[in-house]
Amino acid sequence: MHVETIERLGTAALVSAAQDGDAVAWERLVEEFSPMLRARIRRFRLSHEDAQDVLQTTWLLAWQNLRSVEDGQRMAGWLATIAFRECLKLNRRTREICTPDLDSLGSTDDVDRELARIWLAGTLEELVEELPVAQRVLFRALTETSEPHYVDVARRLGRPVGSIGPTRARCFAKLRGLLQAREITRDFLD
């Protein structure tokens, strides 16, 4: 495929061309989606080296599984999900040995906020484990990407689309109750 043609192609066509082995189309996908992936990975506050490793692993996994993409228009969400999962894996592996550099945070309030954020992240993970299985699975499916689509989640979980909203509401109500039982309120978070 010629470079001029590739520059005019939409995402779905680029995915299709890359699936057929077109290296230029693949490079174009990497160029197009790398900034979005870097932004999502940055949310995890990883070191520069770890963030680069996650980005590289995301692209490696995407390349290895590119043939599984049925709808090229959903490439952004698919890549974001891969990156999200890789960030979670890295966080789980390093949680025990990584501590924040509290001296670099400045004021005591900044240190308190960072410690509270770290503690709350671990607490939320514990609370999610206390949810009923259906709610836990749904919670994880909804939080794998910043823009979850109920249709995709329902299809992946093999559930009716109409059940996702009510189950989500029950899940969040249960989490609110668990947070309140531990006396974690909005005042605590501010």
Side-chain angles (χ1 to χ4, degrees), residues 98-118:
C98 289
T99 56
D101 180 9
L102 299 178
D103 292 335
S104 69
L105 292 175
S107 74
T108 303
D109 289 343
D110 291 340
V111 171
D112 289 346
R113 268 194 294 280
E114 182 64 10
L115 288 173
R117 186 193 65 75
I118 292 166

Side-chain angles (χ1 to χ4, degrees), residues 1-162:
M1 195 173 285
H2 298 311
V3 174
E4 303 89 39
T5 308
I6 286 179
E7 289 181 4
R8 290 188 297 243
L9 290 177
T11 300
L14 285 171
V15 170
S16 179
Q19 286 172 328
D20 291 338
D22 188 326
V24 176
W26 174 253
E27 289 172 16
R28 176 80 177 164
L29 287 169
V30 172
E31 287 173 22
E32 183 177 336
F33 290 109
S34 285
M36 176 270 298
L37 289 172
R38 282 189 191 95
R40 290 181 184 260
I41 292 167
R42 261 195 307 271
R43 293 178 186 169
F44 280 82
R45 298 179 182 213
L46 303 174
S47 70
H48 175 73
E49 293 80 14
D50 285 344
Q52 287 301 107
D53 286 348
V54 168
L55 182 64
Q56 184 176 8
T57 301
T58 299
W59 283 115
L60 176 64
L61 291 170
W63 175 254
Q64 290 172 342
N65 296 288
L66 189 60
R67 294 224 177 265
S68 70
V69 177
E70 294 175 11
D71 182 356
Q73 292 295 72
R74 297 180 186 261
M75 187 71 169
W78 184 66
L79 289 169
T81 299
I82 295 170
F84 179 85
R85 288 177 179 164
E86 289 306 307
C87 287
L88 287 180
K89 285 180 192 174
L90 182 64
N91 275 343
R92 285 186 188 117
R93 283 193 309 262
T94 60
R95 183 174 300 143
E96 300 84 36
I97 58 173
C98 289
T99 56
D101 180 9
L102 299 178
D103 292 335
S104 69
L105 292 175
S107 74
T108 303
D109 289 343
D110 291 340
V111 171
D112 289 346
R113 268 194 294 280
E114 182 64 10
L115 288 173
R117 186 193 65 75
I118 292 166
W119 176 81
L120 188 58
T123 300
L124 182 59
E125 192 170 310
E126 290 172 19
L127 295 178
V128 168
E129 287 300 316
E130 293 181 29
L131 293 172
V133 174
Q135 291 178 11
R136 187 176 346 143
V137 169
L138 178 63
F139 180 84
R140 289 194 175 120
L142 290 172
T143 57
E144 285 176 353
T145 179
S146 63
E147 301 166 9
H149 297 281
Y150 281 11
V151 173
D152 296 335
V153 171
R155 185 176 335 135
R156 199 170 69 201
L157 299 179
R159 302 181 65 184
V161 175

